[in-house]
């Protein structure tokens, strides 16, 4: 019917896109990708339309596999990466060699078996990757889905504001 439809419209990042785009921020949403060319094309388009921008690539849950894969080819070409509700592989992801900034965001109550908060905490302790730990909200859906603690359900604005504050602090 001419309307925009999204398969994962409940996803934390998609659901919160208006919060990310408020204030001095521009937000673009895409499906998960490991193509640096695709991210750079999106960034280039946004910069043509809005002027010079610091670009941050944000992924949640399974798309943190993409944010980790893009870290090396996009290092220094984007300002940073945010890995939220990260896959457990984040525990071994050493961000120290990179010029671009990295942030891990987790929910202390996330009980999804592939995104346990202990993995993000381990990366923070081992590699010093910056970390935001969230708590609260409500879990009304399956453990690994958007409307549980895994998807920051009920605390979207607070979570987005903390991410945006971290971005601003790095300018």
């Amino acid at each position: 019917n001419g309307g925009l439809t999204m398969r994962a419209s409940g996803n934390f990042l998609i659901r919160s896109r208006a919060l990310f785009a408020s204030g001095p921020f521009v937000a673009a949403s895409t499906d998960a990708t490991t193509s640096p060319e695709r991210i750079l094309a999106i960034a280039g388009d946004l910069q043509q339309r809005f002027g010079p921008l610091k670009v941050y690539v944000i992924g949640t849950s399974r798309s943190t596999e993409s944010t980790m894969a893009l870290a090396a080819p996009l290092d220094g070409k984007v300002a940073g990466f945010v890995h939220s509700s990260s896959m457990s592989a984040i525990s071994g992801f050493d961000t120290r060699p990179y010029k671009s900034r990295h942030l891990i965001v987790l929910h202390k109550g996330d009980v999804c078996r592939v995104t346990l908060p202990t993995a993000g905490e381990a990366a923070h302790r081992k590699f010093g990757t910056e970390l935001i730990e969230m708590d609260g909200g409500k879990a009304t859906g399956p453990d690994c889905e958007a409307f549980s603690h895994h998807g920051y359900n009920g605390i979207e604005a607070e979570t987005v504001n903390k991410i945006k504050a971290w971005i601003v602090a790095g300018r």
Side-chain angles (χ1 to χ4, degrees), residues 34 44 61-62 70 76 96 102 109 127 140 156 162 164 171:
T34 56
S61 192
R62 189 160 306 282
L70 288 166
R96 294 175 297 185
H102 287 263
F127 306 118
T140 60
E156 294 88 350
K162 287 187 178 196
K164 289 169 68 171
R171 288 185 177 175

Side-chain angles (χ1 to χ4, degrees), residues 5 27 32 36 51 75 124 137 153:
T5 60
D75 189 36
H124 172 67
N153 189 31

